[in-house]
Amino acid sequence: MIVKIEERDKHRLLEIWESAVRHTHDFLAEQDFLYFKEHMPLYFGYVQLWGYRDENGELMGFVGISDDMVEMLFIHQDARGKGIGKQLLKYVVENYDIKKVDVNEQNQQAVGFYIHMGFITQSKSEKDSQGKDYPLLHMVLKE
């Protein structure tokens, strides 16, 4: 079930983020992982957050949006491959007119997911939004 993230969920968001990133971002240097982990709670404050709760009520994934863009989408490793990311993305696309996402080029699983969901690469940046050497693909939803 998709729910709006509440204040009480914020600690779980970081657990989900860490689980997802540890299993999908093998290109990320450890010092950069620690940098992002420290800053994630701040980033959460700049986006609308929606989560997916399983049948036990446990939060297993979340999506953060701003304007017409997905800013973050993470699924706990224990829940990957169950369609949660697809449900979250579909929810925000349909309800919030989401049309864009930036994806780490080295995260080929995420790139493939967004292509499967109808996004195409519009442009590329050699550095991420923090100025780090992680190229980003700027993707848009096909009309």
Side-chain angles (χ1 to χ4, degrees):
M1 147 177 48
I2 296 177
V3 297
K4 186 151 184 59
I5 295 296
E6 299 174 19
E7 192 61 38
R8 67 183 175 95
D9 298 318
K10 298 284 173 89
H11 72 283
R12 179 66 176 157
L13 296 182
L14 198 56
E15 291 173 5
I16 293 168
W17 176 86
E18 183 167 357
S19 171
V21 171
R22 288 281 187 205
H23 288 90
T24 60
H25 291 60
D26 55 353
F27 55 88
L28 196 61
E30 183 65 17
Q31 68 269 21
D32 290 331
F33 171 84
L34 294 172
Y35 169 87
F36 289 120
K37 184 177 179 180
E38 179 182 337
H39 288 85
M40 282 310 294
L42 178 65
Y43 301 153
F44 294 151
Y46 290 103
V47 295
Q48 288 183 58
L49 290 161
W50 297 92
Y52 179 90
R53 289 195 191 282
D54 67 10
E55 60 278 355
N56 299 316
E58 186 169 7
L59 200 60
M60 298 306 290
F62 68 92
V63 61
I65 60 172
S66 177
D67 298 320
D68 64 348
M69 185 163 189
V70 170
E71 298 288 348
M72 56 185 74
L73 175 60
F74 295 101
I75 308 302
H76 194 282
Q77 177 60 23
D78 295 345
R80 287 175 43 100
K82 297 180 179 176
I84 294 170
K86 183 184 245 183
Q87 288 182 57
L88 286 167
L89 183 61
K90 187 177 178 193
Y91 178 83
V92 296
V93 165
E94 291 175 357
N95 292 286
Y96 294 94
D97 202 27
I98 297 300
K99 295 181 177 6
K100 302 177 195 171
V101 65
D102 288 346
V103 184
N104 289 106
E105 182 180 41
Q106 294 134 305
N107 187 348
Q108 286 299 304
Q109 291 177 1
V111 172
F113 168 76
Y114 286 108
I115 290 170
H116 176 75
M117 295 299 292
F119 286 78
I120 57 172
T121 300
Q122 186 175 52
S123 62
K124 177 181 170 178
S125 299
E126 291 304 319
K127 296 188 182 285
D128 69 11
S129 59
Q130 303 298 314
K132 296 184 180 291
D133 291 321
Y134 300 110
L136 289 179
L137 298 179
H138 307 289
M139 303 181 83
V140 295
L141 191 57
K142 287 186 284 196
E143 293 297 324

